[in-house]
Amino acid sequence: MRYLIKFLGLYVILFIQILFTNKIYSYGVFPNLVIIYLINMLFFCDRNNVLHMAFWGGLSLDVFSVKYFGINTLLFVSLMYYGVKTRERFFIDNTLSEAILGIIIVLLYYLGYTIALSIPEIYKFFSNFLFIGIPAFLYTSFILIVINLMKYYFSHE
Amino acid sequence: MKKNTDSFNRIFIIYLMLSIIFLFLNNNYKMNIGRFYINSILYPVQKAFVVFDEYINYRRENIELKKELVELKKNIYDNYEILEENKRLKKLLEFKNQHSEIFKKWDYIVARVIGYNPNLEYNSIMIDKGSNSGIKKNMPVISKDGLVGKVFSVGPFSSIVLLITDRNYEVSIKLQKSRVYSIMRWMEGNIFELMDISLIDEIKEDDIVLTSGQSDIFPANLPVGKIMKLEESDKYNRRRKVLIRSFVDFNKLEDVIIIKKENEIFD
């Protein structure tokens, strides 16, 4: 039941991402709320369920994306696999470590996404990463840090 | 644990393979049609949000436009006020040029009427200049049309002007053509009555009334009004009732001139 609620939460976030992207659009970039949700689920869900959510979340996002069907699925599944492995290897169980891991995942996501965006003209990778990837990474990381701070605040309340 | 790790790796490999397959199917026509249909499911919801968004935007725009309208209306009224002020000041200037002999002799101050006290003990107005601007008690006050009154009390930044329409006020005047001197007292509105005019005095209709210069307050030849009505009031009394209409509309006073003529006797 808990897993179902978390899965439902993923789709709520997905619809918010699709329907309200223009509302959180700032300086030409918008954050990826789905990856933020998945990063948080990394510390709340069973490892297999994290992969299920990453796959279906990525696939659903790809359906509503204009470019490269499958890129979000591939990136989400790979990054969540990496996230689970890192969490288990380094026994990450505090807010700071969670935030650092989250930021690394976000950075890798935008790196991978920018490579995919630049595939037809790979020489554009650096400009794409500089003007699209990094701003979006900063925006998403900012939201992730805010969420982690809130988690930290409420867990110590 | 080992079993769990195996299933985890297996799930990962399956999903990874599927993702790669999806990537390879990117340009597949059927796949894109499928995506299009799935996208269409969300269309009504998206449309509803767009309509709602538009409604919010229209409301916001409406509020902004209303604010702008108020601002523009205010600007129009402000401009109109400036225009009116300009007209009044022009008339004051004309008045000054017409009575250059008075203004050459005495210095003057232009003041704005900032309050009316017609219902108080004294019929008076308040002006925005006081002792800081050099105003002193009993200085004569005129408008672009003619005699208004005298300074009654002076504060540092404002003064009270006693109007000639005050019931206890009497002004020494002369009739320009008839050369008759008399005392004028307020009756009603901007109508005044001349006192002690005998039937012997030859008074011409439409004669202009000026200050006589016999008082210590008002200089001579300030315009006051015009003869409005001549009545044979009392044959036995041998007096004539003469009514004057003041040139000044006391209800519409906005700018006045204070002549800096000092009257130390009355100070």
Side-chain angles (χ1 to χ4, degrees):
Chain A
M1 186 64 188
R2 273 186 179 178
Y3 174 63
L4 199 71
I5 291 169
K6 281 168 188 167
F7 219 87
L8 213 68
L10 174 73
Y11 277 92
V12 169
I13 295 292
L14 188 83
F15 285 123
I16 290 172
Q17 173 89 33
I18 294 160
L19 297 172
F20 296 103
T21 303
N22 60 333
K23 299 284 170 209
I24 46 178
Y25 200 79
S26 177
Y27 297 103
V29 290
F30 49 86
N32 193 323
L33 302 178
V34 179
I35 200 163
I36 294 172
Y37 186 79
L38 288 173
I39 288 166
N40 279 287
M41 286 304 110
L42 207 60
F43 307 99
F44 288 108
C45 275
D46 168 48
R47 52 193 341 222
N48 289 356
N49 287 340
V50 171
L51 275 190
H52 293 314
M53 285 170 89
F55 178 78
W56 290 108
L59 189 66
S60 308
L61 200 61
D62 278 330
V63 168
F64 294 104
S65 302
V66 183
K67 265 189 160 187
Y68 303 115
F69 183 73
I71 186 69
N72 283 305
T73 320
L74 180 70
L75 286 170
F76 282 178
V77 168
S78 313
L79 290 170
M80 286 308 116
Y81 179 80
Y82 160 77
V84 169
K85 288 283 180 195
T86 313
R87 186 196 70 188
E88 287 171 352
R89 178 175 285 185
F90 297 105
F91 302 104
I92 291 169
D93 63 346
N94 63 68
T95 315
L96 181 68
S97 311
E98 281 176 21
I100 291 169
L101 180 62
I103 290 167
I104 292 168
I105 290 172
V106 172
L107 180 67
L108 291 172
Y109 170 76
Y110 281 109
L111 203 65
Y113 198 81
T114 320
I115 291 170
L117 269 183
S118 317
I119 276 174
E121 299 157 313
I122 200 72
Y123 61 91
K124 282 189 176 172
F125 167 74
F126 287 107
S127 64
N128 280 343
F129 189 61
L130 194 67
F131 297 110
I132 301 168
I134 289 178
F137 157 70
L138 291 174
Y139 198 173
T140 309
S141 301
F142 171 74
I143 293 176
L144 188 72
I145 289 165
V146 171
I147 289 168
N148 273 285
L149 283 173
M150 283 165 71
K151 264 163 60 182
Y152 180 78
Y153 176 78
F154 287 114
S155 64
H156 286 75
E157 186 87 314
Chain B
M1 182 68 188
K2 179 85 170 67
K3 199 179 174 186
N4 200 4
T5 309
D6 285 348
S7 75
F8 177 68
N9 287 336
R10 211 178 301 125
I11 292 168
F12 169 66
I13 288 164
I14 292 166
Y15 282 157
L16 197 70
M17 297 298 281
L18 281 171
S19 308
I20 292 165
I21 292 166
F22 291 149
L23 273 173
F24 277 106
L25 288 174
N26 224 309
N27 294 324
N28 186 287
Y29 177 73
K30 281 182 183 170
M31 180 73 110
N32 287 333
I33 290 288
R35 281 171 73 186
F36 173 76
Y37 279 114
I38 295 169
N39 260 318
S40 307
I41 296 166
L42 262 191
Y43 176 76
V45 186
Q46 276 174 311
K47 184 72 186 168
F49 275 107
V50 168
V51 169
F52 181 71
D53 205 34
E54 272 178 5
Y55 171 74
I56 297 287
N57 283 339
Y58 286 145
R59 262 188 74 87
R60 198 179 296 139
E61 199 178 329
N62 195 15
I63 291 166
E64 289 298 317
L65 286 172
K66 273 181 184 168
K67 277 183 192 167
E68 208 170 303
L69 187 69
V70 169
E71 196 67 28
L72 285 172
K73 270 187 180 174
K74 190 183 164 292
N75 283 349
I76 289 169
Y77 292 136
D78 284 350
N79 287 343
Y80 184 76
E81 280 298 304
I82 291 166
L83 202 71
E84 286 299 308
E85 190 179 12
N86 193 16
K87 278 182 193 169
R88 287 199 310 271
L89 293 174
K90 260 187 188 168
K91 280 183 183 169
L92 277 177
L93 197 67
E94 277 170 25
F95 182 87
K96 186 201 151 200
N97 293 336
Q98 279 168 11
H99 300 85
S100 53
E101 76 286 355
I102 295 167
F103 291 100
K104 265 181 201 166
K105 203 170 173 183
W106 288 292
D107 204 1
Y108 63 93
I109 304 162
V110 177
R112 168 72 57 90
V113 177
I114 53 171
Y116 287 86
N117 299 341
N119 298 320
L120 293 178
E121 193 182 350
Y122 298 103
N123 204 353
S124 58
I125 54 169
M126 186 178 271
I127 55 170
D128 67 344
K129 296 278 161 53
S131 55
N132 283 358
S133 307
I135 290 181
K136 287 184 179 172
K137 196 177 173 184
N138 286 328
M139 280 182 173
V141 181
I142 54 174
S143 77
K144 65 184 187 328
D145 299 313
L147 187 68
V148 169
K150 65 172 182 179
V151 176
F152 182 67
S153 66
V154 186
F157 306 106
S158 63
S159 308
I160 289 174
V161 174
L162 187 69
L163 300 176
I164 54 172
T165 53
D166 187 82
R167 64 185 73 253
N168 301 312
Y169 207 144
E170 289 175 353
V171 181
S172 171
I173 56 98
K174 68 181 176 193
L175 300 179
Q176 195 175 41
K177 292 177 197 163
S178 319
R179 309 310 297 168
V180 173
Y181 285 73
S182 179
I183 301 289
M184 178 185 93
R185 186 191 284 167
W186 178 69
M187 264 187 77
E188 58 177 36
N190 62 344
I191 312 292
F192 293 79
E193 187 185 11
L194 290 190
M195 293 158 72
D196 295 328
I197 301 288
S198 73
L199 287 172
I200 307 159
D201 294 325
E202 281 184 28
I203 295 177
K204 292 163 187 164
E205 295 256 358
D206 294 337
D207 207 346
I208 300 291
V209 181
L210 303 169
T211 50
S212 67
Q214 288 177 347
S215 102
D216 288 308
I217 296 173
F218 301 115
N221 301 328
L222 287 175
V224 177
K226 206 175 187 181
I227 299 282
M228 188 185 91
K229 202 173 181 184
L230 288 168
E231 281 179 17
E232 301 289 329
S233 63
D234 188 350
K235 283 184 183 175
Y236 302 103
N237 204 0
R238 311 291 290 164
R239 289 282 175 272
R240 183 182 266 179
K241 192 175 183 182
V242 182
L243 299 181
I244 301 165
R245 184 185 293 278
S246 169
F247 290 132
V248 179
D249 185 346
F250 292 93
N251 293 322
K252 290 181 181 171
L253 279 172
E254 286 185 275
D255 297 294
V256 291
I257 301 170
I258 298 101
I259 299 170
K260 290 177 98 173
K261 174 180 183 288
E262 304 210 7
N263 310 280
E264 285 171 12
I265 302 165
F266 294 95
D267 276 351

